[in-house]
Amino acid sequence: MSLSHLYRDGEGRVVDDDDDERENFEITDWDLQNEFNPNRQRHWQTKEEATYGVWAEHDSDEERPSFGGKRARDYSAPVNFISAGLKKGAAEEAELEDSDDEEKPVMQDDFPKDFGPKKLKTGGNFKPSQKGFAGGTKSFMDFGSWERHTKGIGQKLLQKMGYVPGRGLGKNAQGIINPIEAKQRKGKGAVGAYGSERTTQSIQDFPVVDSEEEAEEEFQKELSQWRKDPSGSKKKPKYSYKTVEELKAKGRISKKLTAPQKELAQVKVIDMTGREQKVYYSYSQISHKHNMPDDGLPLQSQLPPLPGKEAKVPGFALPELEHNLQLLIDLTEQEIIQNDRQLQYERDMVVNLSHELEKMSEVLDHEERVISNLSKVLEMVEECERRMQPSCDDPLTLDECARVFETLQDKYYEEYRMSDRMDLAVAIVYPLMKDYFKEWDPLKDCAYGTEIVSKWKSLLENDQLLSHGGQDLSADAFHRLIWEVWMPFVRNIVTQWQPRNCDPMVDFLDSWVHIIPVWILDNILDQLIFPKLQKEVDSWNPLTDTVPIHSWIHPWLPLMRARLEPLYSPIRSKLSSALQKWHPSDSSAKLILQPWKDVFTPGSWEAFMVKNIVPKLGMCLGELVINPHQQHMDAFYWVIDWEGMISVSSLVGLLEKHFFPKWLQVLCSWLSNSPNYEEITKWYLGWKSMFSDQVLAHPSVKDKFNEALDIMNRAVSSNVGAYMQPGARENIAYLTHTERRKDFQYEAMQERREAENMAQRGIGAAASSVPMNFKDLIETKAEEHNIVFMPVIGKRHEGKQLYTFGRIVIYIDRGVVFVQGEKTWVPTSLQSLIDMAK
């Protein structure tokens, strides 16, 4: 036996042979006390230790203490022996081991009271099994004080995760605020050997409720898990029962198999997961498979018996019977579920068939009514066909046939709409309609047949075709009736009609315009009436014909309107030829042209007047002699009579060119010869009264009369020293003031009328009359100011059409008006153009 364990060092400690080669890593009390001590002594590694590791040289004073707290050994100290006592014999050691192995029954009363389990009143997810620090007695009031020397990253991280300073940690703030306090154990015994080790802070934060009775029950329950049942009685088997209603509910909840699942349900499956091979005929049987006779035995019964012990055989074990009984139960359950499903299916089928029976009954009743109605309709149609025969004593009339169709439409509307009305009308109505109009003369009796045809229109016209505005003869019986029966009589009468006798034909079409279809009326006007009118206009001569052309053209305006536009050009051409040798003294020209003023467009009418009438009037006005003592007014009256026919601008142009220069010249010569100012005043007012208010309101005419007043005022003021008629100066001043005031009042009245007219027209009328393009805008402005705006035939500038705007030549390019200047074309605004034209 080695006695090395009896050696001690100089300080009395036992010397181990291996201590010079290894270091003891056992956890000592010093380790536990200083584990959480931030102020404990630390050993900082030197540069030499970092370089050479364990081979580095150490000074005795700086040597790091070992983990066990041992000092460095002094191998120069003498060896000391200690007494180890007497060694016990082998027999005594065996007895001690046997005594240690015996189990002694332990009761809870043998342990200290505080060692038992207790209930902790904790909050949140805190587990009572968490232990606090139990070593060390140093106060931790300054725990975490190192953070004052840092940037406080720990505190910031806690605040980002929801920590509130001054409150506890955890989801519900159930943690403690102060650090965990440690409590020193009295001795070196086990945990809880000296009573409760909870500190005052732990009891305050997590109070407990002691329940000795509950603790005793839990202890006995845990202890009884390792023992057999003390009563020794067998447990009664528990049986589970299923009622028929539960099985039915289970069958209703289960989902119905789809087509692929039904195919998989019939697949043969071989189960080789057990000790023996088993065959199933559907996948559903696998989920309901049961243990075979030997599968249900417990694991202990399948193991070989232990030596020295006899194997326990169950007293009543019939696995084959149990398997068969379970199989019968499953088959019975499936049969009950299947029968319930079949019963539910049959009930649903009964309900479905009852609904189908009701629907079929309704359909049968409807079909019977339809058959009955069709039978009655067929009887009525056969009766009409019988009376249509030539040998019938009671022939069918058109009024009776209309009543039959009304009966069909009122009582049998569905059958009437579904039937082929076209064939029925062609077979019955058309022959009767031809007989009705056989001796009809439209020009003599224009209203003949309108009532009966209107009645047949409501009976035969297809509403759907009427809404689409079609003219399909194969789809509408009434349109075909008018085209094939009524239209031949109209064609025959139009060929014999004379266009100059227009009243009978116009009255005839006016009577039928709301009855016949629109496309038939258009055909009559375009193909029958217009060619006759065009031919008659070509043969018309305004110099020889005594009947004015407007008397047999204008009655067609309400019916034909724009269709007569092609006739206006030849009419204007023939009127222009007839006016070549015309003199204004002949008033018949005005009677012939006046009806056409509102028929022709404003532009074409003004162009016609400027070309054919204005030059004649200018020549007549140029021949006028102004003589205050003996004035002949016939020529002036001939010109003024055309005021409503020609525009105001054209008339003012004639007066400016041919009248006012001579008139002002006569006034000046009269004032230079010591005139009688009273006579001059009457002469001035007499000539002014010859013009209408519209002409007097024109700026040019107003300027001329104001110029005459200025001449009279200058004449009165220049003869200050010479003899002058008494009161002449005052009379002329009063006349001037009166005339200026009238002009001002007239202008104010005109502005008020224009404002009222604009208010009456409203915004809607103004919006509807917005021109589509710039040319239309110029034309609208020309009409408002009575200015001639018309294209110059055969004249273009850079491919752009030239127009005459009054006496100015213009052309339009990309919405800009260009006016012809002295050397080039100048762009101008619309208002400037109107001012230049006036």
Side-chain angles (χ1 to χ4, degrees):
M1 180 185 293
S2 175
L3 300 177
S4 60
H5 65 282
L6 300 177
Y7 294 113
R8 291 179 179 271
D9 57 5
E11 297 180 359
R13 293 178 298 180
V14 178
V15 179
D16 195 353
D17 295 340
D18 298 333
D19 285 347
D20 57 346
E21 298 296 337
R22 61 182 177 82
E23 187 175 10
N24 193 0
F25 284 90
E26 295 179 354
I27 299 175
T28 63
D29 294 339
W30 186 90
D31 295 330
L32 295 175
Q33 293 174 2
N34 294 279
E35 178 65 24
F36 297 100
N37 184 10
N39 299 320
R40 69 180 181 272
Q41 182 182 0
R42 299 175 180 271
H43 174 74
W44 302 102
Q45 192 176 24
T46 63
K47 183 177 180 181
E48 187 176 359
E49 290 175 350
T51 305
Y52 297 103
V54 296
W55 290 279
E57 295 181 1
H58 303 279
D59 295 337
S60 60
D61 297 337
E62 297 177 357
E63 184 177 4
R64 179 176 61 88
S66 63
F67 289 98
K70 296 181 180 180
R71 297 181 180 178
R73 296 181 180 182
D74 186 7
Y75 293 98
S76 62
V79 178
N80 295 329
F81 292 92
I82 61 174
S83 176
L86 298 176
K87 182 175 177 61
K88 295 181 180 181
E92 294 179 358
E93 292 179 359
E95 291 177 3
L96 291 173
E97 292 177 0
D98 293 340
S99 62
D100 293 337
D101 294 338
E102 291 180 359
E103 294 181 1
K104 297 179 180 181
V106 181
M107 297 298 291
Q108 189 177 3
D109 296 338
D110 299 337
F111 294 94
K113 183 178 181 179
D114 295 334
F115 186 70
K118 298 179 180 180
K119 283 190 177 181
L120 295 179
K121 292 184 178 181
T122 60
N125 296 328
F126 182 79
K127 298 180 180 179
S129 62
Q130 295 176 348
K131 302 294 189 298
F133 174 65
T137 59
K138 187 174 182 179
S139 175
F140 290 95
M141 297 301 292
D142 295 334
F143 182 77
S145 60
W146 67 86
E147 195 172 19
R148 70 177 63 136
H149 304 293
T150 64
K151 296 182 179 180
I153 185 65
Q155 186 76 6
K156 292 180 180 179
L157 292 175
L158 287 174
Q159 290 178 358
K160 287 183 178 180
M161 290 183 286
Y163 172 70
V164 180
R167 298 180 61 183
L169 298 176
K171 180 179 179 182
N172 300 321
Q174 74 277 7
I176 60 177
I177 302 175
N178 300 322
I180 300 175
E181 297 181 359
K183 183 177 182 181
Q184 186 178 7
R185 194 177 301 142
K186 297 179 180 180
K188 295 185 179 180
V191 177
Y194 302 99
S196 175
E197 296 183 1
R198 298 190 63 185
T199 62
T200 305
Q201 175 190 353
S202 174
I203 295 174
Q204 181 179 356
D205 294 337
F206 304 99
V208 298
V209 178
D210 296 332
S211 177
E212 297 182 358
E213 296 179 358
E214 293 181 1
E216 184 67 25
E217 290 179 1
E218 292 180 1
F219 181 78
Q220 292 296 339
K221 184 178 180 180
E222 294 178 357
L223 192 63
S224 64
Q225 292 179 357
W226 300 97
R227 297 179 179 179
K228 295 181 181 179
D229 188 4
S231 61
S233 60
K234 295 182 180 180
K235 295 182 179 180
K236 294 182 180 180
K238 296 182 180 180
Y239 300 99
S240 59
Y241 301 95
K242 290 184 181 179
T243 62
V244 177
E245 298 298 330
E246 292 177 355
L247 289 177
K248 291 181 181 180
K250 180 182 178 181
R252 295 191 187 100
I253 294 174
S254 61
K255 297 181 180 179
K256 297 182 180 180
L257 294 176
T258 58
Q261 291 176 333
K262 291 180 180 179
E263 295 177 359
L264 293 176
Q266 301 176 0
V267 175
K268 181 179 180 181
V269 181
I270 301 175
D271 183 11
M272 301 183 68
T273 57
R275 291 181 298 174
E276 296 181 359
Q277 175 179 330
K278 301 175 184 178
V279 179
Y280 300 100
Y281 292 97
S282 65
Y283 284 109
S284 61
Q285 293 183 2
I286 298 179
S287 60
H288 300 291
K289 68 179 181 178
H290 306 280
N291 294 330
M292 294 303 291
D294 293 337
D295 294 345
L297 296 177
L299 183 61
Q300 291 81 0
S301 64
Q302 298 179 11
L303 297 176
L306 297 175
K309 294 183 181 180
E310 296 181 358
K312 294 182 180 181
V313 180
F316 185 79
L318 296 175
E320 293 83 356
L321 180 59
E322 293 178 359
H323 173 73
N324 294 336
L325 288 176
Q326 187 65 38
L327 186 60
L328 290 174
I329 291 172
D330 293 342
L331 293 176
T332 305
E333 290 180 357
Q334 294 295 329
E335 185 177 359
I336 292 173
I337 293 173
Q338 188 66 26
N339 291 337
D340 179 65
R341 290 179 179 175
Q342 185 66 27
L343 178 61
Q344 187 65 32
Y345 172 77
E346 296 297 337
R347 289 175 179 173
D348 294 341
M349 183 62 68
V350 170
V351 174
N352 189 17
L353 291 177
S354 61
H355 288 299
E356 291 292 334
L357 181 61
E358 293 177 0
K359 291 182 179 180
M360 290 296 105
S361 300
E362 294 177 359
V363 172
L364 182 60
D365 296 339
H366 176 70
E367 295 297 333
E368 290 179 353
R369 289 195 300 270
V370 171
I371 292 173
S372 176
N373 293 337
L374 289 176
S375 300
K376 295 178 181 178
V377 170
L378 185 60
E379 292 178 359
M380 297 175 67
V381 173
E382 290 177 350
E383 178 66 18
C384 293
E385 290 181 353
R386 184 187 64 80
R387 296 180 63 183
M388 286 290 295
Q389 300 297 328
S391 59
C392 181
D393 298 334
D394 185 14
L396 184 65
T397 62
L398 196 59
D399 292 335
E400 293 176 349
C401 185
R403 286 194 293 271
V404 170
F405 273 79
E406 288 178 356
T407 303
L408 293 175
Q409 191 175 22
D410 295 339
K411 294 184 178 180
Y412 311 104
Y413 181 78
E414 294 295 334
E415 291 78 7
Y416 178 74
R417 289 298 178 187
M418 293 172 59
S419 63
D420 193 355
R421 289 173 290 170
M422 174 66 70
D423 297 338
L424 188 62
V426 170
I428 300 177
V429 181
Y430 287 14
L432 298 176
M433 191 68 71
K434 288 180 181 180
D435 293 339
Y436 184 80
F437 288 106
K438 181 171 58 176
E439 299 179 356
W440 174 50
D441 187 357
L443 297 181
K444 294 181 180 179
D445 190 1
C446 59
Y448 178 79
T450 54
E451 295 181 1
I452 193 67
V453 174
S454 298
K455 184 184 296 184
W456 281 107
K457 179 181 180 180
S458 60
L459 295 173
L460 299 178
E461 191 170 26
N462 193 339
D463 298 335
Q464 184 177 3
L465 182 63
L466 182 63
S467 62
H468 290 81
Q471 55 182 18
D472 188 6
L473 294 177
S474 61
D476 193 278
F478 177 72
H479 289 197
R480 185 174 175 181
L481 173 67
I482 296 297
W483 182 259
E484 295 183 358
V485 178
W486 183 84
M487 195 64 182
F489 295 98
V490 177
R491 292 194 189 98
N492 187 24
I493 201 64
V494 169
T495 55
Q496 304 173 8
W497 167 68
Q498 294 297 326
R500 299 198 180 193
N501 186 17
C502 64
D503 293 337
M505 185 61 69
V506 171
D507 294 340
F508 162 69
L509 292 179
D510 286 338
S511 302
W512 289 85
V513 67
H514 300 294
I515 301 174
I516 61 177
V518 177
W519 65 272
I520 293 180
L521 178 62
D522 295 340
N523 180 270
I524 294 172
L525 296 176
D526 294 337
Q527 304 297 329
L528 301 178
I529 304 298
F530 183 77
K532 299 279 289 186
L533 293 176
Q534 189 175 22
K535 184 178 179 181
E536 193 67 23
V537 168
D538 293 339
S539 62
W540 171 68
N541 187 356
L543 298 177
T544 59
D545 287 342
T546 58
V547 179
I549 189 173
H550 66 268
S551 63
W552 48 273
I553 291 293
H554 288 184
W556 291 104
L557 287 173
L559 289 173
M560 303 187 70
R561 296 182 181 180
R563 290 185 177 91
L564 297 176
E565 286 287 343
L567 301 178
Y568 297 156
S569 180
I571 291 174
R572 286 193 296 267
S573 178
K574 291 189 175 186
L575 290 174
S576 179
S577 299
L579 291 172
Q580 289 181 358
K581 298 180 180 181
W582 170 76
H583 190 269
S585 60
D586 186 4
S587 61
S588 62
K590 183 181 178 182
L591 297 176
I592 295 175
L593 295 178
Q594 190 173 8
W596 295 97
K597 182 178 184 296
D598 296 331
V599 176
F600 295 157
T601 60
S604 60
W605 172 258
E606 187 64 21
F608 181 80
M609 290 287 105
V610 170
K611 181 180 178 182
N612 300 288
I613 303 299
V614 173
K616 303 284 186 178
L617 297 179
M619 181 182 63
C620 182
L621 199 58
E623 298 175 355
L624 176 65
V625 178
I626 300 176
N627 186 0
H629 302 287
Q630 188 178 0
Q631 184 67 53
H632 297 283
M633 301 294 294
D634 294 339
F636 183 80
Y637 291 148
W638 296 338
V639 175
I640 291 300
D641 285 343
W642 287 89
E643 181 181 351
M645 300 292 291
I646 62 177
S647 63
V648 177
S649 60
S650 299
L651 181 59
V652 171
L654 290 175
L655 295 174
E656 288 180 344
K657 185 177 181 180
H658 302 286
F659 174 75
F660 282 111
K662 296 187 292 184
W663 186 75
L664 293 174
Q665 185 179 2
V666 170
L667 178 62
C668 292
S669 61
W670 192 4
L671 291 172
S672 62
N673 295 323
S674 299
N676 186 352
Y677 287 98
E678 186 177 352
E679 293 180 358
I680 291 177
T681 302
K682 292 181 180 180
W683 181 80
Y684 171 85
L685 295 176
W687 275 109
K688 192 173 183 180
S689 63
M690 302 295 293
F691 299 99
S692 64
D693 295 338
Q694 189 176 5
V695 176
L696 292 174
H698 197 276
S700 299
V701 177
K702 192 183 298 182
D703 293 340
K704 295 298 181 181
F705 281 103
N706 289 333
E707 184 180 354
L709 290 175
D710 295 337
I711 294 172
M712 295 165 64
N713 285 320
R714 285 197 300 270
V716 171
S717 60
S718 61
N719 296 330
V720 177
Y723 173 76
M724 184 178 297
Q725 182 180 356
R729 185 180 293 108
E730 290 78 4
N731 291 337
I732 297 300
Y734 178 75
L735 175 64
T736 304
H737 177 71
T738 304
E739 293 298 321
R740 299 282 170 81
R741 186 177 61 183
K742 288 181 179 179
D743 293 341
F744 177 76
Q745 292 177 353
Y746 182 80
E747 290 177 358
M749 185 177 61
Q750 289 295 112
E751 291 178 357
R752 186 166 59 253
R753 288 179 180 177
E754 290 179 0
E756 292 177 356
N757 293 334
M758 289 295 294
Q760 290 178 358
R761 284 200 300 264
I763 300 175
S768 62
S769 61
V770 174
M772 298 300 293
N773 51 38
F774 193 63
K775 179 185 173 183
D776 294 340
L777 177 61
I778 295 175
E779 185 176 357
T780 303
K781 292 294 182 181
E783 292 178 0
E784 291 178 358
H785 295 85
N786 296 319
I787 299 174
V788 179
F789 175 69
M790 58 181 296
V792 180
I793 301 174
K795 297 291 184 180
R796 290 181 176 270
H797 175 72
E798 295 180 355
K800 305 295 188 301
Q801 177 66 47
L802 296 180
Y803 299 91
T804 57
F805 192 82
R807 291 171 293 177
I808 305 171
V809 180
I810 64 171
Y811 76 89
I812 305 170
D813 186 12
R814 290 176 292 185
V816 180
V817 180
F818 290 87
V819 181
Q820 187 177 13
E822 295 180 358
K823 296 182 179 180
T824 183
W825 294 84
V826 181
T828 183
S829 64
L830 186 56
Q831 187 61 40
S832 301
L833 180 64
I834 295 172
D835 295 340
M836 287 188 292
K838 289 183 178 180

